[in-house]
Amino acid sequence: TQLLEQSPQFLSIQEGENLTVYCNSSSVFSSLQWYRQEPGEGPVLLVTVVTGGEVKKLKRLTFQFGDARKDSSLHITAAQPGDTGLYLCAQEGTSGSRLTFGEGTQLTVNP
Amino acid sequence: GAGVSQSPSNKVTEKGKDVELRCDPISGHTALYWYRQSLGQGLEFLIYFQGNSAPDKSGLPSDRFSAERTGGSVSTLTIQRTQQEDSAVYLCASSLDRDPNQPQHFGDGTRLSIL
C-alpha cells in the first residue's frame, strides 16, 4: 500500500492569512483527490488531479499536482473561518477503486 | 435519498457485544465502500462491494468483522465480540460504479464507542 504523507498535521491561522498544505508519496500517483471533512460529517470531494503539473482552482483554493506526480499541494488564499476542517488527500488503490488516504491536515481558521 | 445514509449515527456498547452498522447508498450506485477512521488517523479501507459481491475484503482487520450487501443496495457491517480498539468512526461511501473517475460520496458515519 502506497503511503501518503501529509503536512503539516495541524495548522491554526488567523482569518485572511494564506496557507499551503502538502501531500507526498515515494511512488507515482495515478491520480490524486483532495477532500475536506467537517466534524460529524463524511469527507467531501474537492478536486481530482490527474496530469503532472496540473493546476486547478476552486474559488480561493488552488490545487497543484507535481510534475513527477509524486506530490500535490493545496493553497488557500485569504482563509476564512468556514475553511476550518480536516483536509485529506487520497489516491486510488491498485485493487479496484478503493481509496488510500493520508492522515490529513487539521486546519483551524480563527476569526 | 439524496445522499448516503448511515445508521445509527452513534453507538455505545460494552466490550464483547456484537454490533451491526447500516449503510444506505445513493440510489443507483453499484459500488459501495466501508472505511474506518480512528482518532488521529486517516481513513482506513475495510471492504468494497460491486453489486452484492465483495471483490476486495482485504481491509477487514480480523475475522470478527464481516459485511454483506443485499439487493445491490443496503449494506451492513457486523463486528462480533467487540474490542476497545474497534472504537472509531465507520464511514460508508458509494459511487456510480467502480470506475475510478466516478467520485465516492460519503455518509456522515457511525461513531462507535466500545466501553
Side-chain angles (χ1 to χ4, degrees), chain B residues 38-55:
Chain B
S38 302
L39 189 63
Q41 297 188 14
L43 279 76
E44 171 191 16
F45 169 81
L46 297 177
I47 187 170
Y48 152 64
F49 287 92
Q50 179 60 42
N52 291 337
S53 63

Side-chain angles (χ1 to χ4, degrees), chain A residues 6 9-10 30-31 33 35 37-45 48 50 86 88 92 94-104, chain B residues 31 33 35 37 40-45 48 55-56 58-59 89 91 95 97-109 111:
Chain A
Q6 289 191 245
Q9 188 175 359
F10 298 96
S30 55
S31 64
Q33 300 179 5
Y35 288 80
Q37 184 179 20
E38 298 189 36
E41 299 183 6
V44 175
L45 179 66
T48 300
V50 179
L86 179 67
L88 295 156
E92 174 199 336
T94 55
S95 174
S97 53
R98 69 188 229 190
L99 295 172
T100 299
F101 285 84
E103 293 188 1
Chain B
Y33 309 82
Y35 295 87
Q37 187 172 30
Q41 297 188 14
L43 279 76
E44 171 191 16
F45 169 81
Y48 152 64
D56 189 351
S58 61
V89 176
L91 289 157
S95 63
D97 56 41
R98 68 181 298 275
D99 183 342
N101 293 318
Q102 293 293 335
Q104 294 185 22
H105 301 265
F106 284 83
D108 289 340
R111 181 174 297 277

Side-chain angles (χ1 to χ4, degrees), chain B:
Chain B
V4 177
S5 177
Q6 292 189 246
S7 61
S9 54
N10 286 282
K11 177 71 175 179
V12 181
T13 193
E14 294 180 346
K15 176 183 173 181
K17 300 287 188 182
D18 297 352
V19 295
E20 192 172 275
L21 313 179
R22 176 186 169 105
C23 173
D24 277 277
I26 293 173
S27 178
H29 281 195
T30 63
L32 185 147
Y33 309 82
W34 283 97
Y35 295 87
R36 179 170 71 174
Q37 187 172 30
S38 302
L39 189 63
Q41 297 188 14
L43 279 76
E44 171 191 16
F45 169 81
L46 297 177
I47 187 170
Y48 152 64
F49 287 92
Q50 179 60 42
N52 291 337
S53 63
D56 189 351
K57 307 179 183 179
S58 61
L60 295 177
S62 77
D63 58 8
R64 296 186 296 105
F65 287 72
S66 63
E68 65 175 13
R69 189 179 185 195
T70 56
S73 181
V74 172
S75 176
T76 54
L77 176 69
T78 302
I79 309 173
Q80 296 179 309
R81 305 181 302 282
T82 52
Q83 303 294 314
Q84 288 187 331
E85 61 263 28
D86 299 335
S87 296
V89 176
Y90 289 82
L91 289 157
C92 175
S94 71
S95 63
L96 192 59
D97 56 41
R98 68 181 298 275
D99 183 342
N101 293 318
Q102 293 293 335
Q104 294 185 22
H105 301 265
F106 284 83
D108 289 340
T110 293
R111 181 174 297 277
L112 178 64
S113 300
I114 309 300
L115 303 179

Side-chain angles (χ1 to χ4, degrees), chain A:
Chain A
T1 301
Q2 183 167 330
L3 182 64
L4 300 182
E5 296 184 352
Q6 289 191 245
S7 61
Q9 188 175 359
F10 298 96
L11 188 57
S12 181
I13 62 171
Q14 294 300 121
E15 183 176 1
E17 293 183 358
N18 301 332
L19 67 113
T20 303
V21 298
Y22 301 91
C23 178
N24 297 285
S25 172
S26 57
S27 303
V28 173
F29 296 119
S30 55
S31 64
L32 190 84
Q33 300 179 5
W34 283 95
Y35 288 80
R36 187 176 84 177
Q37 184 179 20
E38 298 189 36
E41 299 183 6
V44 175
L45 179 66
L46 297 174
V47 77
T48 300
V49 287
V50 179
T51 305
E54 183 175 7
V55 177
K56 285 191 173 179
K57 293 192 174 184
L58 186 65
K59 296 183 180 179
R60 294 176 293 99
L61 278 60
T62 301
F63 303 86
Q64 187 161 2
F65 203 14
D67 291 340
R69 291 161 53 208
K70 294 172 69 174
D71 58 274
S72 181
S73 64
L74 159 59
H75 182 80
I76 301 179
T77 304
Q80 299 177 1
D83 296 327
T84 293
L86 179 67
Y87 288 82
L88 295 156
C89 64
Q91 187 206 9
E92 174 199 336
T94 55
S95 174
S97 53
R98 69 188 229 190
L99 295 172
T100 299
F101 285 84
E103 293 188 1
T105 293
Q106 181 62 55
L107 171 65
T108 302
V109 182
N110 302 298

